[in-house]
Amino acid sequence: MALKIFQYLGRTELGRCAQVSRTWKILAEDEVLWYRLCQQEGYLPDANISDCSCWKLALQDCRAKECTLRTNWKNRIGAVSQLQYELGKVLCDVHSCDGVAIAGYTSGDVRLWDTRTWDYTAPILEPVHGSADSGPQPHVSFVRINSSLAVAAYEDGTVNVWSLMIGREPIHHYQHNQRIQALALGLEGAAIATASGFQVKVESPDDRGYWQTTAQFEIQKLVNFLHLVPDVVGSPVTIAAAEDMVYLLKAEEPGKVLHSVYGQPVTCLDVSASEAAFGVKGFGWLLNETNKILLYNLETGQCLTKLGSSLGDFTCANLQNSPPWMLVTGNKDRRVRVYDLRRSKSLCSLYAHHLGVSAVQMDDWKIVSGGEEGLVCVWDQRMGTKLWEMHARHPVRHIWFNTHSLITANIPDEKNPRGASIMDDDLTAHRRHRGIIYAYEFSVDQLARESVLPICRSSYDEVTGYNYNIGLAVPYDNILVT
């Protein structure tokens, strides 16, 4: 009975109860109570009660590591690596999932990086067998990755699918007749959606593992954005934004128009398990129709709320990775805005990037934004202040982070720059044209003495710059040039 009463207490109350008497101390330090507290606060969710001998110490260690990680994030303490592939020429697209990044290049190569390991290598995913003998590969248009699959779409309408568990050769391949405008891959499972011309095609394997076309739709206009709804049981559900129309596409059902207002094109799109958020361009301030973010319920098909009223276009929105009831957006008016969906109002507005915001993501305390000028900024949400920033040459097109790592990608808009190589058959391009992927690691485990940071593994050919608040293990700045 005492344990049933104590299970309603928090860690502070249990600590006070342990000081009352020896009997209460035994009850307050019961392993079941502290195991439940650890699970309730989100630590070690997959662990069993028998995996640890003292769950009170386990909870203390987890909270200490979380505090250290937050301090490292705020002060930019950690390691940073550049993920480069010189033979790939110019970077075309980047995507990441759980620390694994995939990149596509103008040479037609698709490359993987697993940033979860310290000395990681970058394997090349091979195209369809025999295609390399037919000449140069087409440029990569889009790449996507989840926990089990990697997908790449090429300029000639080809789509290749690789399994991360099997090997480097594709397990599935199909062809569109025209250039692909959008590519979507589910967070879990093996559903793939592609849009080419006025056609949207959904591919997935059956129960025996044979790939097939699950659904095919004809759209009235060209698709700009495409997403698969996560956590859907049964046939996949696709959300497609085509100019000024938004479609809800289910297999074996006709396409349903979720939103349509003539002359107000959709400028960005993101979906969660039950909602879709997208930006629409207004007619202009003269008609009192400014740019807004619309939030729709996917089950009822009704508009839940209209957010914001800006003269600039909304260029990015992140609903899926945001905390519950929160939405973060980026705008051409240089501002990052955080909205509370329950109150339909902006919680904070940050003046971020002077050429417009191109990518954004947030969690419960910080915001990471990227701009067209190539700047990556980390913000404290509650204080509304900038913690630190990093700059590269090209626009920021991809941002992903979790508690201990951050991946950003600066992707050039110009895929065939003038003077990129000395000769037409040169396999490399000048560094200023390529684009770059950065991988940041803020975990304390990576700062141990036995680990050598990338800046310490330098060939000393680079100009000495900011050391990212890292205590160097070698005298990097005291090199005698002979």
Side-chain angles (χ1 to χ4, degrees), residues 72-92:
N72 291 348
W73 266 97
K74 290 183 176 181
N75 297 289
R76 193 166 59 175
I77 299 174
V80 58
S81 301
Q82 298 181 7
L83 311 182
Q84 295 191 25
Y85 176 51
E86 295 185 359
L87 298 182
K89 294 188 177 179
V90 180
L91 189 62
C92 292

Side-chain angles (χ1 to χ4, degrees), residues 76 78 190 193 231 244 247 288 364 378 391 476:
R76 193 166 59 175
D231 303 329
D244 52 12
Y247 293 88
N288 199 22
D364 56 346
V378 179
H391 182 264
Y476 185 89

Side-chain angles (χ1 to χ4, degrees), residues 249-277:
L249 307 176
K250 295 182 180 180
E252 301 177 356
E253 294 183 14
K256 176 184 176 181
V257 177
L258 194 65
H259 170 82
S260 178
V261 176
Y262 180 76
Q264 291 188 332
V266 176
T267 57
C268 62
L269 172 68
D270 196 26
V271 299
S272 64
S274 59
E275 297 170 334

Side-chain angles (χ1 to χ4, degrees), residues 365-376:
W365 71 272
K366 65 178 176 292
I367 303 169
V368 182
S369 63
E372 293 286 343
E373 76 287 349
L375 200 65
V376 174

Side-chain angles (χ1 to χ4, degrees), residues 191-193 200-205 212-219 227-229 232-240 247-256:
I192 301 168
V200 175
K201 182 183 290 188
V202 181
E203 300 262 333
S204 63
Q212 60 183 358
T213 302
T214 306
Q216 191 167 325
F217 305 93
E218 294 295 330
I219 305 297
H227 283 275
L228 284 166
V229 179
V232 174
V233 179
S235 301
V237 179
T238 308
I239 306 296
Y247 293 88
L248 177 65
L249 307 176
K250 295 182 180 180
E252 301 177 356
E253 294 183 14
K256 176 184 176 181

Side-chain angles (χ1 to χ4, degrees), residues 28 40 94 265 326 389 393 407 423 477:
Q40 290 173 3
V94 175
M326 303 292 283
E389 63 184 29
R393 181 183 296 270
I407 297 176
M423 302 176 61
D477 296 332

Side-chain angles (χ1 to χ4, degrees), residues 30-203:
D30 187 81
E31 295 300 323
V32 176
L33 297 178
W34 288 98
Y35 171 73
R36 288 178 177 176
L37 279 176
C38 199
Q39 296 287 304
Q40 290 173 3
E41 297 193 18
Y43 302 119
L44 306 175
D46 300 327
N48 296 319
I49 191 171
S50 59
D51 293 343
C52 185
S53 59
C54 183
W55 280 100
K56 182 178 180 180
L57 292 179
L59 179 59
Q60 290 177 352
D61 292 341
C62 290
R63 289 181 57 84
K65 288 181 179 179
E66 182 183 19
C67 182
T68 303
L69 279 174
R70 182 171 296 195
T71 302
N72 291 348
W73 266 97
K74 290 183 176 181
N75 297 289
R76 193 166 59 175
I77 299 174
V80 58
S81 301
Q82 298 181 7
L83 311 182
Q84 295 191 25
Y85 176 51
E86 295 185 359
L87 298 182
K89 294 188 177 179
V90 180
L91 189 62
C92 292
D93 194 24
V94 175
H95 194 245
S96 57
C97 176
D98 294 333
V100 181
I102 183 173
Y105 298 86
T106 55
S107 63
D109 291 334
V110 179
R111 196 147 188 154
L112 285 179
W113 280 275
D114 189 350
T115 63
R116 297 170 298 185
T117 59
W118 187 235
D119 293 321
Y120 46 80
T121 57
I124 301 175
L125 299 179
E126 299 176 0
V128 177
H129 182 70
S131 62
D133 301 332
S134 60
Q137 295 292 319
H139 294 185
V140 177
S141 300
F142 303 98
V143 291
R144 295 292 184 269
I145 190 172
N146 62 12
S147 58
S148 59
L149 294 180
V151 185
Y154 299 83
E155 276 195 338
D156 61 350
T158 304
V159 179
N160 286 334
V161 183
W162 296 270
S163 172
L164 301 181
M165 307 298 176
I166 297 178
R168 298 184 178 183
E169 293 189 359
I171 60 173
H172 182 52
H173 164 85
Y174 65 98
Q175 181 78 38
H176 281 279
N177 295 327
Q178 302 180 31
R179 187 179 68 88
I180 296 175
Q181 281 106 16
L183 170 68
L185 175 64
L187 289 179
E188 299 292 339
I192 301 168
T194 51
S196 176
F198 299 97
Q199 183 186 75
V200 175
K201 182 183 290 188
V202 181
E203 300 262 333

